[in-house]
Amino acid sequence: MKIAVVGATGLVGTVMLKVLEERNFPLTELIPVASEKSVGKEISFKDKKYAVVNMETAIAMRPDIALFSAGGGTSLTYAPLFAEAGTTVIDNSSAWRMDPSKKLIVPEVNASELSIDDKIIANPNCSTIQMVVALKPLHDKYRIKRVVVSTYQSVTGTGVKAVEQMMNERKGITDGPMAYAYPIDLNVIPQIDVFTENGYTKEEMKMILETRKIMGDDNIKVTATTVRIPVMGGHSESVNIEFENDFDLADVRDLLTKTEGIIVVDDPANLKYPMPKDAHEKDEVFVGRIRRDESLPNTLNMWIVADNLRKGAATNAVQIAEYLVKSELI
């Protein structure tokens, strides 16, 4: 099985390679793909060296699966060309997520929607992925009416330039490259992506629209505020969920504990709750601060944390690929 990683030298692409190796994905040939300036560079994978190739070379090699993390414009241009060559594309950009003809997949939630005809599969937004993993079992049992989410998102979600900006600021370097319009260290920026006409940012609208699509229920009302904070390691979310039906807190904890991909860390008496540093380089979604919203009936508060480069991007894409192989869809 030939696997291409498009954007192999980028932040998410590098993690994709790491996750493929860690999970011992059954590939026989790796095809690292990047922009022309990176062609010829070598990357290491399972103690072997592989030379980076360009798009055209990769398409001609007809990989079975291509994991894309190279930006929306690149995906719009090249994903269809890979698909025409018979490759199944799993794309990490926002290019195809809301295309009604494309599936938007979180394996723990809706992998069963996939078929052999799906040649371009969308990987959701990082902040959406971790939230819906926790929402799905609760929706199945109690039926969600409304979700209010505020995010606290790692600079790694922006990329290498943002990490450099934050670390430079910590060293007192103020004239380095800026990924944001403002300093990020010792600061909080209540804007992720550009603003849209309704006053929400694109990141907030992604969470609203993607959640409904993944959950398969347009009746779920979602509102979001997404915020960049000066941390690395993972995204955190404060999530308030109103249900149609009442719940028992012990049952909620038990349900989440038994759900694949979730680790419940919820012991306030001993100051145990999820934090980004605990989720760093892990594939699970961590849930804690589980408590009733005492201002509304049938309403729950939760705190959800996950590594945005892993479950929020690379791991979710690899898990989709694993499902395709296991279900003989490629």
Side-chain angles (χ1 to χ4, degrees), residues 249 252-253 256-257 263-274 286-291 301-303:
L249 278 177
V252 168
R253 290 190 182 94
L256 291 170
T257 299
I263 294 177
V264 173
V265 183
D266 189 40
D267 183 7
N270 292 298
L271 308 185
K272 300 293 185 183
Y273 32 71
F286 295 79
V287 182
R289 298 298 319 278
I290 301 166
R291 64 205 188 278
N301 286 307
M302 297 194 305
W303 178 253

Side-chain angles (χ1 to χ4, degrees), residues 60-75:
M61 294 173 76
R62 295 180 177 272
D64 297 284
I65 296 173
L67 303 175
F68 263 66
S69 188
T74 299
S75 294

Side-chain angles (χ1 to χ4, degrees), residues 209-259:
L209 299 173
E210 291 179 22
T211 296
R212 292 175 183 157
K213 182 172 179 177
I214 297 163
M215 301 285 283
D217 191 342
D218 286 337
N219 293 319
I220 298 175
K221 294 179 173 66
V222 184
T223 188
T225 302
T226 58
V227 180
R228 192 70 69 188
I229 65 171
V231 303
M232 294 190 291
H235 292 346
S236 304
E237 298 171 348
S238 173
V239 185
N240 179 271
I241 313 151
E242 182 183 0
F243 298 104
E244 291 180 11
N245 304 300
D246 200 6
F247 55 85
D248 178 84
L249 278 177
D251 290 342
V252 168
R253 290 190 182 94
D254 184 61
L255 186 60
L256 291 170
T257 299
K258 292 177 178 176
T259 299

